[in-house]
Amino acid sequence: MKKRVVRSLVIGALLVGLLGIVGCGGSGKEKLYVYNWGDYIDESVIKEFEKEYDVDVIYELFATNEEMYLKIKAGTAKYDVAIPSDYMITKMLNEDLLHKIDLNNIPNYAGIDDRFKNLSFDPNNEFSVPYMWGTVGIIYNKTMVQEPVDSWDILWDDKYAKQILMLDSQRDSIAVALKKLGYSLNSRSEKELEEAKELLIKQKPLAYVGDEVKDKMIGNEAALAVVWSGDAVYMKRENPDLEYVIPKEGSNIWYDSMVIPKTSQNKELAEKFIDFMCREDIAYKNADYIGYSTPHREVMEMLPQELVSDPAYYPAEGDLANSEVFIDLTDVLSIYDRIWTEVKSQ
Amino acid sequence: MKRKFLTTPYMLWMLIFTIIPLILVFYFSFFESGPDGIKFTTEYIERVFEPIYLKVIFRSFALAVISTIFCLVLGYPMAMILASRELKRRDFLIVLFVVPMWMNFLARTYAWMTLLENNGIINQILMALSLPTISILYTDKAVILGMVYNFLPFMVLPIYSVLSKIDRSIIEAAEDLGANPLRTFFKVIFPLSLPGVLSGIIMVFMPAVTTFVISRLLGGGQYMLIGNLIEQQFLTTGDWGFGSSLSLILMLILLLTMGIMSKTDKDREGGRFF
């Protein structure tokens, strides 16, 4: 009996050792673990950072804020830098998952426009450094939609039944319905949410989609779609028949910011990376490549004038009077979840 | 005794990747940790039986049953063709049949999305031939198509392997005794192939009932299956208790179904089913 225990231990130890070797990959360079949204960086930037600082960057992707949160919360992965959105930063702060960032180590932070500092989820700029921002709006194909598009109402127009692509995302799609009804997209009222549910059930979209919305709209597969502003820039570049608007009822404005999760084992290097990402030439590369709006003053000036002056992509604060930032709704998420399940199982 | 230690790695493997996860699923289903410690609850399990979720479970089973039937109807003749003695280049055909499975399942499902689109390849060919076009992407038909396409090999291969092992002399005996081909098939071949059919059904039905990728990609997220619901609990809502309960109930239903099926199989031995 005793012998068997020893044997299991030996085998177990061997297994662990094996994993360790595989995990290290050989080189003795410092490692930086970066956790970002898919399709959300100019990947040459990572190579550049590796070269300049003589480190290895392990770059991993997520598709939703919630997915990222769960991985960091579980604490098994040692991410040094992650890029969550506004409401998720609040949630992570509430659960004490973030390190403070020392802005003295981020000299390039000076380039960030004041408009993107002291935002509600991080009022003293202690935990996050803005990476990109944008809105949610409607992209439509001018050859298929003749009338002017300026309201969420068009997504319920029978003329376009089965020609509309919605986001396969609880909060975003429910937000569209809430905004159409004139409610806040951070509603906690069960009555308002029920109304939103009825509205979504009544709607006849072609499908609820994720990133494939880009291919679909470029390929003329649908007339209208709810998308994030930066994706719209990309789609319009590929298919000039497309146009993006922020509906007049208001929409969601969001900020994705770089944070250092408590899982980080190399905060110093993480800060170097964040500073690097804020450097003018690097921030320009990223903004130019992915199409989202940059919070960086000088970079805005380097971008094409017609993009930066377009209120659809770079809305001024006044254009967003009735738009809102998502607030963390952890306590009522189960209502959102039930509504979404009902909408999607009709 | 000496051999026993060879099983240790497998035992460890099962412990880490089957037993412990199962215990965790069980734990999350029945216990929740609140401010005043861990307490027992049946709240999550009860929620599974709310009408809205039963509807999702029912739909998952309905689509899986339909797909399994399609796979059987399409796969059995295919297996017979592969097993028939006159067939030349059998190995080559089997390789052709298996080659698509070397490619990633997700990529193949994605490919169907491009094939089925309104302006997709199939419709372009149909248009070029001035035939009416189809628009089945983002319907339940596309979900079933995706399931049948992805899981058909799992039906064909077990049936094929049983059919090819049937003793020819038994079939010859049936023919000698005057049974026509149809009678030979129903009285001899089919009953003998039942173990293959059964494992085929299990191997198709299981992944079909739990899939969440096919319904998500080809159903356009409009045909929520239990797999999607479970995924949503873990990845979006973060409600592990409810997600675990759903998984637990799903496992129980599957175990029950499989139990009943293997029972009927025993009764069927000797082929008195027909």
Side-chain angles (χ1 to χ4, degrees):
Chain A
M1 189 62 211
K2 209 173 174 189
K3 243 186 182 165
R4 240 206 276 164
V5 173
V6 173
R7 249 187 230 129
S8 325
L9 282 178
V10 169
I11 291 171
L14 280 175
L15 274 174
V16 172
L18 208 70
L19 287 175
I21 292 167
V22 175
C24 287
S27 98
K29 284 184 192 169
E30 258 189 298
K31 283 188 184 48
L32 181 78
Y33 294 81
V34 177
Y35 202 24
N36 190 9
W37 298 81
D39 227 356
Y40 208 41
I41 198 169
D42 178 345
E43 298 218 4
S44 73
V45 161
I46 301 173
K47 289 268 162 315
E48 241 174 275
F49 181 78
E50 283 182 324
K51 239 190 12 229
E52 245 173 74
Y53 288 82
D54 192 32
V55 293
D56 278 332
V57 173
I58 292 109
Y59 184 66
E60 286 184 32
L61 304 174
F62 59 83
T64 64
N65 275 308
E66 285 70 22
E67 189 187 330
M68 177 230 48
Y69 161 80
L70 286 169
K71 261 222 103 177
I72 287 177
K73 175 97 177 162
T76 44
K78 34 187 176 177
Y79 300 114
D80 297 302
V81 177
I83 311 190
S85 315
D86 32 63
Y87 72 100
M88 189 47 72
I89 295 176
T90 311
K91 186 176 166 85
M92 293 173 90
L93 273 177
N94 287 344
E95 298 180 26
D96 193 27
L97 293 175
L98 300 181
H99 275 305
K100 264 195 182 164
I101 299 176
D102 186 352
L103 287 184
N104 294 325
N105 297 333
I106 323 267
N108 291 323
Y109 184 74
I112 306 283
D113 195 279
D114 282 342
R115 185 180 156 191
F116 305 101
K117 291 176 180 168
N118 309 89
L119 293 167
S120 59
F121 53 88
D122 186 11
N124 302 318
N125 309 313
E126 288 171 306
F127 296 94
S128 65
V129 172
Y131 177 55
M132 294 282 161
W133 64 283
T135 55
V136 174
I138 301 176
I139 194 163
Y140 63 99
N141 192 315
K142 283 181 283 187
T143 61
M144 301 183 205
V145 182
Q146 266 77 39
E147 67 216 85
V149 180
D150 65 347
S151 157
W152 294 116
D153 291 341
I154 195 159
L155 300 178
W156 275 264
D157 190 331
D158 276 335
K159 249 191 305 187
Y160 302 109
K162 293 287 162 198
Q163 296 189 54
I164 299 164
L165 294 171
M166 295 288 286
L167 287 167
D168 189 21
S169 153
Q170 284 183 19
R171 280 219 56 188
D172 292 296
S173 285
I174 294 173
V176 167
L178 285 169
K179 272 293 175 191
K180 173 177 153 56
L181 290 164
Y183 299 135
S184 160
L185 49 71
N186 291 310
S187 174
R188 289 164 186 275
S189 144
E190 209 153 331
K191 187 188 134 280
E192 291 176 8
L193 287 167
E194 279 298 313
E195 280 179 55
K197 179 189 90 185
E198 294 305 327
L199 203 59
L200 286 169
I201 289 174
K202 258 203 338 236
Q203 198 197 9
K204 296 184 196 76
L206 175 62
Y208 296 100
V209 291
D211 262 342
E212 66 263 32
V213 68
K214 298 184 217 171
D215 293 334
K216 300 278 166 198
M217 289 309 289
I218 292 166
N220 300 321
E221 287 292 325
L224 299 132
V226 177
V227 295
W228 286 285
S229 51
D231 287 348
V233 174
Y234 169 79
M235 288 183 253
K236 208 177 149 177
R237 218 184 280 162
E238 302 287 320
N239 182 348
D241 288 335
L242 300 175
E243 201 61 66
Y244 176 80
V245 286
I246 303 171
K248 60 174 191 275
E249 296 95 336
S251 178
N252 168 228
I253 170 166
W254 49 261
Y255 308 94
D256 288 344
S257 302
M258 294 177 276
V259 300
I260 305 179
K262 287 246 161 113
T263 53
S264 169
Q265 290 170 348
N266 198 343
K267 190 170 165 249
E268 204 183 318
L269 190 60
E271 284 176 340
K272 278 184 191 149
F273 181 77
I274 292 176
D275 188 49
F276 180 79
M277 293 285 274
C278 293
R279 210 172 76 189
E280 218 175 281
D281 57 325
I282 301 299
Y284 171 75
K285 265 192 186 172
N286 284 329
D288 183 52
Y289 179 80
I290 62 179
Y292 280 94
S293 315
T294 176
H296 207 290
R297 228 179 304 114
E298 276 81 34
V299 174
M300 263 175 80
E301 281 158 26
M302 293 158 77
L303 288 166
Q305 195 49 45
E306 68 268 22
L307 179 74
V308 182
S309 59
D310 189 336
Y313 305 109
Y314 280 87
E317 271 165 287
D319 298 332
L320 294 167
N322 45 12
S323 291
E324 298 166 89
V325 182
F326 275 140
I327 294 174
D328 174 37
L329 293 179
T330 304
D331 50 319
V332 288
L333 265 193
S334 62
I335 305 180
Y336 275 77
D337 182 69
R338 202 199 64 234
I339 285 177
W340 188 236
T341 307
E342 283 187 50
V343 169
K344 296 230 296 179
S345 49
Q346 286 310 307
Chain B
M1 198 56 214
K2 213 178 161 192
R3 288 275 159 83
K4 253 198 175 154
F5 94 98
L6 283 175
T7 63
T8 320
Y10 302 102
M11 289 303 183
L12 259 172
W13 181 272
M14 285 202 288
L15 184 75
I16 297 173
F17 293 108
T18 311
I19 313 276
I20 294 179
L22 271 178
I23 294 173
L24 284 177
V25 166
F26 210 79
Y27 173 81
F28 284 123
S29 301
F30 286 107
F31 296 93
E32 68 186 342
S33 45
D36 36 79
I38 294 164
K39 68 175 196 295
F40 177 82
T41 172
T42 55
E43 183 196 324
Y44 296 124
I45 295 283
E46 280 164 30
R47 214 175 125 199
V48 176
F49 294 96
E50 283 176 23
I52 164 82
Y53 301 120
L54 286 180
K55 198 170 155 187
V56 173
I57 296 176
F58 178 77
R59 176 187 295 133
S60 307
F61 276 82
L63 286 183
V65 167
I66 294 171
S67 308
T68 311
I69 293 173
F70 268 113
C71 280
L72 184 59
V73 170
L74 290 172
Y76 201 98
M78 178 79 202
M80 284 188 79
I81 294 170
L82 284 177
S84 73
R85 283 220 305 190
E86 296 80 40
L87 189 68
K88 283 176 196 151
R89 305 193 194 180
R90 179 199 332 268
D91 294 340
F92 179 65
L93 272 179
I94 292 177
V95 167
L96 276 190
F97 197 70
V98 175
V99 160
M101 289 172 71
W102 297 352
M103 205 173 70
N104 184 285
F105 158 78
L106 201 62
R108 279 183 286 143
T109 310
Y110 240 94
W112 271 109
M113 224 161 74
T114 347
L115 289 175
L116 293 176
E117 279 176 348
N118 288 334
N119 307 318
I121 296 165
I122 293 178
N123 275 344
Q124 281 179 13
I125 295 173
L126 288 174
M127 268 188 277
L129 299 172
S130 26
L131 292 168
T133 58
I134 49 163
S135 80
I136 65 164
L137 187 61
Y138 302 134
T139 66
D140 48 357
K141 293 190 194 78
V143 178
I144 292 173
L145 176 75
M147 288 184 183
V148 173
Y149 167 76
N150 274 310
F151 304 136
L152 187 61
F154 299 113
M155 184 64 88
V156 173
L157 295 176
I159 299 180
Y160 158 74
S161 83
V162 172
L163 282 179
S164 61
K165 281 190 203 107
I166 291 179
D167 192 346
R168 282 294 300 175
S169 53
I170 297 176
I171 297 168
E172 279 158 18
E175 283 162 0
D176 282 350
L177 292 169
N180 62 23
L182 204 67
R183 207 170 151 85
T184 316
F185 176 76
F186 280 116
K187 283 275 182 188
V188 181
I189 301 177
F190 189 72
L192 282 175
S193 69
L194 267 182
V197 171
L198 213 72
S199 51
I201 289 177
I202 291 175
M203 282 171 79
V204 170
F205 185 75
M206 291 274 199
V209 91
T210 52
T211 184
F212 60 92
V213 174
I214 298 174
S215 49
R216 161 75 183 70
L217 290 180
L218 299 179
Q222 294 171 106
Y223 296 88
M224 188 178 263
L225 304 183
I226 185 161
N228 302 92
L229 192 57
I230 295 173
E231 188 211 9
Q232 183 180 312
Q233 296 316 312
F234 282 98
L235 290 187
T236 311
T237 319
D239 191 344
W240 290 29
F242 186 50
S244 298
S245 297
L246 283 166
S247 315
L248 200 66
I249 299 287
L250 177 65
M251 277 192 278
L252 279 179
I253 302 178
L254 283 176
L255 268 177
L256 223 69
T257 330
M258 295 307 131
I260 292 170
M261 276 187 51
S262 55
K263 193 101 194 263
T264 16
D265 178 40
K266 248 178 227 145
D267 296 344
R268 267 189 211 166
E269 254 170 5
R272 65 187 153 88
F273 192 70
F274 285 99

